[in-house]
Structures are given as structure tokens and as C-alpha cells.
Amino acid sequence: MKCNTITIIFLLFLFSSNVSQLQAQEKKQKILSEIIAHRLQNKKKASAYINLVNSLGWELRYTNFDSVAILSEEGYKLSKEINYKRGQAKALLASSFSEIIAFKNTEETLKKIDQAIQFSTDIKADSTLISAYNIKAIYKTYIDDYEGAYKDYNLALLLCQKSNNTLEETKLYSNLATLFSVLGDNDESIRYYIKALDIANNLKEKFWLGVVKSNLGYLYNKTNQFEKAAILLDESIQIFIDEDRKVWLAYAYLTKANLLLNKKSPEEAIIFLDLSDDLLKNLIYEKLKQDLLLGYTKYYQQLNNSEKSEELAEEGFLLSTTNKNQIAIANFSEILYQLNKEKENQGSALFYLEKFKNITDSVALQSKQNALALLKAKTDFQKEQNDLKLDSQRTIKQQKTYIVFSLFIVFLVILIAYYGYKNNKTITHLNSQLEEKTEILENSEKTLKYANETQEKLFSIISHDLKSPINALKNLLLLIKNGDIKPNEFLNFAPKLYNDVDAMSFTLNNLLSWSKSQMNGFVNNPINFNVSEKINNSIKLLQENANQKNISIRNNIPKDAEVNCDSNQFNLIIRNLLNNGIKFTPCGGSIIVDAHLKKEYLEIRIKDTGVGITPDIQNNLFKPDSALQSTYGTNKEKGTGLGLLLCKEMVENNGGEIFVMSKINEGSTFYFTIPKAI
């Protein structure tokens, strides 16, 4: 079970009740009394009794995992005996949600949620179905399936909007905001929270207004907008005090403490840390307790109490390691690195620094993959909704067409009687022309929309790839500036920085060429030139990259082979294909370039001994959206996937063709043809 995200923003608020702590205790006691009364009357198989059992289990979800499991099992079993599907669904949801809170969620938990969705769908129970999709989205967020979580949240949101349920709509917008916050997209998260806040301001339930304000305050604190954060957090704390909501009050206190720690005010922060600690003692939400421990660690560190700070950091490191919480491990590792560095414990400092860097590097890579997955999810979901909308519009249009056509037939009969066969033929011809033009316009609109969406996605990916090496260099220089590493230690990072800058240069070159082709098209200046010499020049440019992986490159092109094409475009084709060969060939491999004459063309082949390409990817390799499927090389080399699109455009622009043959673990061979010299 993964849980690699900072969950101090509650994903669970959607399922909190709307009653105070005292009212909640009274409600539990009342439900328990009614359950006992039903048992005494031997009415255990009635739906009313099952609803009571499920309700009690739901009320206990934050405080007593074992009781929830027993009650949910009873509720499910009795519901099944009388075929009460709503009861089965609610029992499964209480059980699965409790498992998520207690970090006991497994694949069995997901099966329970899917069963609940099926039961709710069968009986058209929209309110239960909304809860089921939300719990499923929370589960998927906890296992880092952000693409699935986004889809499930939106499915629930559609149900809310359909039923005009503004309260549930507020919760769902907040949940979507939380999802983007987990992925590090704070701007998108704040946008969703502001949308939720606009709706929450008109709700009678002030508790939900406090929920949105506390989470929005957390994000403003995270983005160093301290004044906005302080206002929202103080307002949410007052709401939670008025509503007697201890779980959320503990969360708001902890967020306020983190705000004060960020402002270097530990004396004020300890007040809120202690308040949060007192509230959390009787709760089972272990992740929030772990975040509280991190807050205490930072507090003692700011007081320069290294001994206490190290003690808490080591406790947190062990706890987060046990829970496999990678972000928490990184946070505690960073603190332990700083403390050991101050004590000149070089061995321990290096150990925790490596832990911190390994996790942060891994998280950075995962962040890109998650962002791409979420981008795909947003695109796919929007496409599904657009398809549904188009189907609906098509049906309405078809109905209107039937009506118009029927009227036209009546009118046509009259015209036939009056004008005869000639006029009827003319009208039919005009209608045919109109339909053809309409179809042409619709196809043009679809093509333009697809091209715009593809370019937007492509530039989003490229911008991330260009920012990553720049940020890496910036952070390293900041470490030198702050004295965290010595200038001579900078040389240890020089090879990686060179590779990052080299990759960025290659990406920029491809991007500029592609942009030029999109705006003006490629302008050809074909000339005759020697192929072998051009390829030798490209090999020299990429030799350093090949040497780093001990890859040999052989040029077997005949010395007298000449072609007629644009030399600059030819160079870009060769360099992209060679660069891909180096990228996907393991250390110690080889790349061979040779050519064969074919009538009026020279067929050039670039063969590597790399990892190969799967048939599915081969089928889509040169399609317009193939750049969105770029992968990492054998040494984690980055790329945008733009190179192959450029190769295809330039080969075809010079009158040739390009294709590929590949087998997994045996390597790939790229073929392209260029006209022979005139």
C-alpha cells in the first residue's frame, strides 16, 4: 500500500458528519439504544435495524476500527439475506472507509468499494453512489493512482450537479483541490478551493465553510502567502470551536503552528502544537499524528535544541519508514542531515543526505509521471463527456432532421404535382451539396481542435523538461551560496549538470525546429552532398554521450554515397535518430549506420542493440500525439518525444519515407529514404 503524499490536507473531510462532538456522542448513544430495542423485539432482519447498524458503524469510523469492522460485517450479512442492496452498499462503504483511515486498506478494500458502486447503480441510489465514488477516489489517491482518483471525483461531481446538491458539490471541489495539492500543482488547487469557497459561503452548514478555509489556509501557507493564510486559519479555528469539531480543530491548530514555524516564531508555534496534540490523543488518524511529530521536531530545531530535535527526528524517521511514507522519510532525513552535519558526524550526515536526495529525485520523477497521468485523465474524461454531449446533440439533430424531412416529403409531393420531376431533381442535388459542405466543416473543426489540444499538451511536457535541469542548477548554486556544500564539492555534480544542460540544448534545438515548421513550414534548400561525411560530423557531436555509456558507433556508409536534400534537415534527422539509439541502448552496446541503394533513393539504416520497442508503441510512434508518450532512457535520460515527429516531417519534406522495425531486448532499426544525388 503506497502513501507517499503529504496528507495534512484532509482527503477525508467529505464524510465528516454535520454535528458537534457532544451531539455526536448523543447520536451514537441514541442509535445504540434503538439497536438494543430492535434486538429485544427480534427485528434484526428488518431494513430499519440494518440502517441503524450501518449508521453506528459510520459514526465510529474515526475512533474504533474494530467496532466498525464488526458492525459492517453484521450489516452486510443481514442485508444480503433480505436482498437489501442499499444496506449492503452502506455496510461496505463504512468498512472500506474505516480501513483507509486506519492504514489497513488493501486490494480487498477496493473490491468492497466497487461492490458498493454496483449495488448503488442497480437501485439508482445517487446519494450512496456519490459517497462510493468519493471513497474510491480517496483510496486511489492513497495508492498514488491520481488518474483514477480524478475520474472518480468527476463522476461524483456530475451526479451532484445533476441533482443540484450544492453541499456535496462544495465537498467535491475541495477534494479535487486536495488532489492537485498532493500532486504539487498549488495554483490549480487554489483555483478549485476558491470555487468551493464561493459555494460554501452560501451554505447553512458553517462547518464546511471552516473546512474549505482551513485547507485554503494550508495552501496559502505552503505558497508563502502568510497574511492570507493567517486570516483563513483563524476564521476556520473559530468555526471549529463553535461547532465542537475536534478532528478538524486539531488539523487547523497544526496548520497554524506550521505557519508560525515558517515565520520563525517557535514560541508562538508551540502553543498550537500542544493544542493539536491534546485533541489528537484519542483519535486513530495516525498520519496527522506523524505530521504533528514533524512539527515538534522543527520547533526544537528552531530553538537550537539539537538533542531533542534529533531524538524526535529519529523517532519520526523510524515511524515513517515503517509506514513507507516517502515524503515523511525525506522530511525527517533532511533534518537529521542538518543536525549531523552541525555535529560533524560526516558518516550519518551523508547517509541521511543520500536518503533525502534519493527520495526527492524519485518524487520529482514521479511528479512528472503523475502530472502526465492526470493530464491524460483530464483529457480522456473531457473527451468522454464531449462524446456523450455530441451523441445527445446528434440524437436531437436526428429527431429534428426526421421532422424536417417529413415536412419536406409532404412539400415535395406538392411540388412534384406542380413542377414535375425536373424541379424535384434540382432540390435533391442542392441538399446533397449542403450535406457535403456541412461534413467538411465538421471534419475541419475536429482536426483543428485536436491539433490545438496536442500542442497544448506537448508544450506542457516540454516546459517541465526545460525547467527541471534549470531548477537543479539553481538549487545547487543556492547550496554553494548558503555554504551547505563547498565549491570543490561542486565538481562532483558537474557530470550530471553537463548531461542536463546537454539534454536541454538538444530539446531546445528540436523545439525551435518544430516551432518553425508549425508556423512557416520547412523551407527546402536541396543540394548534393556526401552522406558519410555528414554522418561522421553528427557522430562526433554525440560521441561524448556515447562514451559515457561505453557505446560504440560505426559508420558503414559507402564513402562515395551522395544524396540530394536539405543538408541542415538531414543533420537533424541523423542526430535525433543517433541520440535515441544512445538513449535506449544499455552500457556496452553498439550502433551501426549503413545504407543500401534502392532505385532512385538511398535507404539509410540506424541499428542499435537497445531495449527495443513494444508493438503497441511502434504502431503509434510517428502519429501526431506520439510526443506525449516519451519515456526515459536506460540511464534515466530525459526527452520530449518531439524528435521522431521532426524526423518524419523532414524526411517526407525531402521526398522520402521513414519506418522502424524492433524487437524487445534485441534492439531497434530505423529506416529512412532520401533521393540520390542528381
Side-chain angles (χ1 to χ4, degrees), residues 207-340:
F207 164 69
W208 297 111
L209 182 60
V211 167
V212 177
K213 286 186 175 183
S214 62
N215 281 338
L216 188 53
Y218 167 83
L219 280 173
Y220 281 140
N221 175 43
K222 188 177 179 181
T223 54
N224 297 327
Q225 301 179 66
F226 298 133
E227 292 185 4
K228 290 183 179 179
I231 293 172
L232 289 170
L233 288 172
D234 289 341
E235 290 174 353
S236 67
I237 287 172
Q238 188 58 54
I239 291 173
F240 296 144
I241 291 174
D242 295 340
E243 297 288 325
D244 192 23
R245 301 309 298 267
K246 289 184 170 53
V247 175
W248 277 94
L249 185 57
Y251 162 63
Y253 281 148
L254 179 54
T255 307
K256 182 65 180 289
N258 283 323
L259 168 63
L260 293 168
L261 288 171
N262 286 340
K263 295 175 70 175
K264 307 300 182 184
S265 301
E267 295 82 2
E268 297 180 62
I270 189 62
I271 299 172
F272 293 94
L273 287 171
D274 289 342
L275 287 171
S276 182
D277 187 31
D278 289 338
L279 292 169
L280 287 172
K281 287 177 180 176
N282 297 320
L283 297 173
I284 63 172
Y285 196 68
E286 296 300 326
K287 181 62 184 68
L288 193 55
K289 293 179 181 180
Q290 194 167 296
D291 292 331
L292 179 64
L293 180 60
L294 181 62
Y296 275 117
T297 304
K298 292 179 178 179
Y299 163 73
Y300 284 109
Q301 187 182 25
Q302 288 190 14
L303 290 183
N304 295 320
N305 188 340
S306 300
E307 183 178 349
K308 185 63 176 178
S309 180
E310 185 174 5
E311 176 188 338
L312 295 177
E314 288 176 347
E315 179 184 347
F317 179 81
L318 291 175
L319 182 60
S320 56
T321 301
T322 301
N323 292 336
K324 299 180 180 179
N325 188 335
Q326 296 299 308
I327 295 298
I329 294 172
N331 287 331
F332 286 115
S333 294
E334 183 180 20
I335 294 173
L336 287 168
Y337 157 69
Q338 294 168 351
L339 294 173
N340 279 282

Side-chain angles (χ1 to χ4, degrees), residues 45-47 50 77-85:
K45 291 190 177 182
S47 59
I50 294 171
K77 181 179 179 182
L78 293 173
S79 298
K80 187 175 182 181
E81 289 178 3
I82 64 172
N83 196 28
Y84 180 36
K85 291 188 176 182

Side-chain angles (χ1 to χ4, degrees), residues 526-540:
I527 60 172
N528 292 343
F529 59 82
N530 185 280
V531 177
S532 181
E533 291 178 0
K534 291 289 185 183
I535 290 177
N536 281 335
N537 292 337
S538 294
I539 291 174
K540 288 179 182 177

Side-chain angles (χ1 to χ4, degrees), residues 95-111:
S95 174
S96 58
F97 188 57
S98 178
E99 289 169 359
I100 294 172
I101 295 174
F103 282 107
K104 298 181 184 294
N105 45 319
T106 63
E107 290 184 0
E108 197 64 31
T109 303
L110 181 59
K111 291 181 181 178

